[in-house]
Amino acid sequence: MKYKRRRLIVIIFLIIALLSGYGFEAGRQFVESSKTDEISNVLGVAENGDVSAVSTEKALAVLEKLEVKGRAPKTGYKRDQYGSGWSNAGLCDMRNYILKRDMHEVVVKSDKDCTVLSGKLNDPYTGRTINFMRGQDTSDDVQIDHVVALSDSWQKGAQSLTAIEREALANDSLNLLAVEGKANSDKGDGDAATWLPPDKSYRCRYVARQIAVKQKYHLWVTEAEKTAMKRVLDDCPDQVLPIVTNS
């Protein structure tokens, strides 16, 4: 009887030990997962890089809900009001995160350093294929564009955002695209009234993406900008907004 009781005590002890170990590990994983989700929620970053998901909201309908106002003065605009540079997304800064997301045949420096060394980009703005190679004279061949330019956002409501919200806007993967460097330079800080992608087949998605960003950060549009957006969307009235899914 004493042997059976001792054996039962040992079994119970082992079960408690196993459960405690599992509980600790599960708790650790939960905390780490929560931290990742928090970063994703602030930056609008999808862990799987999926920005091809779409909402059920039609771009035209959302455009009608955006406030229409004149452009505010650019006075006081500085890039560092949107953060000191690229934020981090896991092991990557946002530049390398977007390069890795938007290109294919990507080669990174190592498993622990996601610096993108090379890859191929199907440029959404021009429709060209660009062979990207990191280097002093070649890195600018592919640049990361803010779909809604930061200086443009400053003149259309971002002055009223908090510093944290502006940094999120500058690093939100919904507002970032890897594109041909020249096309990005040609665009500058233009809005839809002054610049649209040369590849007309991408214009509907481009405008929808701008509308999605403006809706998310409560930015307004000018009358000329709204007119230009509607002109594009008239050719694709069922165009829906893109979203970034957190997974």
Side-chain angles (χ1 to χ4, degrees), residues 123-213:
D123 176 40
Y125 287 175
T126 65
R128 302 189 185 106
T129 298
I130 301 170
N131 293 312
F132 171 77
M133 183 70 67
R134 180 174 295 276
Q136 183 175 352
D137 299 323
T138 57
S139 288
D140 282 347
D141 290 348
V142 174
Q143 299 177 11
I144 307 302
D145 179 43
H146 287 97
V147 178
V148 173
L150 299 186
S151 60
D152 182 65
S153 74
W154 180 258
Q155 298 172 77
K156 296 173 183 175
Q159 295 183 43
S160 300
L161 299 178
T162 66
I164 292 175
E165 289 171 331
R166 284 196 295 270
E167 185 172 2
L169 169 60
N171 289 276
D172 192 332
S173 56
L174 177 64
N175 194 34
L176 298 174
L177 282 176
V179 301
E180 182 195 69
K182 183 181 182 303
N184 189 37
S185 297
D186 289 344
K187 174 187 172 181
D189 60 359
D191 61 17
T194 58
W195 188 90
L196 289 169
D199 185 353
K200 293 182 179 180
S201 68
Y202 188 72
R203 289 182 178 179
C204 287
R205 284 173 287 167
Y206 174 76
V207 166
R209 199 168 184 127
Q210 287 191 324
I211 292 170
V213 172

Side-chain angles (χ1 to χ4, degrees), residues 92-154:
C92 299
D93 61 47
M94 284 306 295
R95 171 176 166 77
N96 284 292
Y97 178 90
I98 299 299
L99 288 174
K100 188 177 178 182
R101 184 197 70 184
D102 290 355
M103 295 198 299
H104 57 99
E105 298 181 27
V106 172
V107 175
V108 297
K109 193 169 185 179
S110 71
D111 291 340
K112 295 183 179 180
D113 184 343
C114 73
T115 299
V116 175
L117 301 179
S118 63
K120 287 188 177 182
L121 175 70
N122 295 325
D123 176 40
Y125 287 175
T126 65
R128 302 189 185 106
T129 298
I130 301 170
N131 293 312
F132 171 77
M133 183 70 67
R134 180 174 295 276
Q136 183 175 352
D137 299 323
T138 57
S139 288
D140 282 347
D141 290 348
V142 174
Q143 299 177 11
I144 307 302
D145 179 43
H146 287 97
V147 178
V148 173
L150 299 186
S151 60
D152 182 65
S153 74
W154 180 258

Side-chain angles (χ1 to χ4, degrees), residues 19-35:
L19 288 175
S20 297
Y22 174 78
F24 175 79
E25 178 64 18
R28 182 185 66 80
Q29 291 178 357
F30 177 78
V31 170
E32 290 181 355
S33 176
S34 297
K35 288 180 179 178

Side-chain angles (χ1 to χ4, degrees), residues 35-56:
K35 288 180 179 178
T36 299
D37 288 344
E38 184 178 356
I39 293 172
S40 296
N41 288 333
V42 170
L43 297 181
V45 175
E47 286 303 304
N48 62 356
D50 180 14
V51 293
S52 61
V54 292
S55 73
T56 57

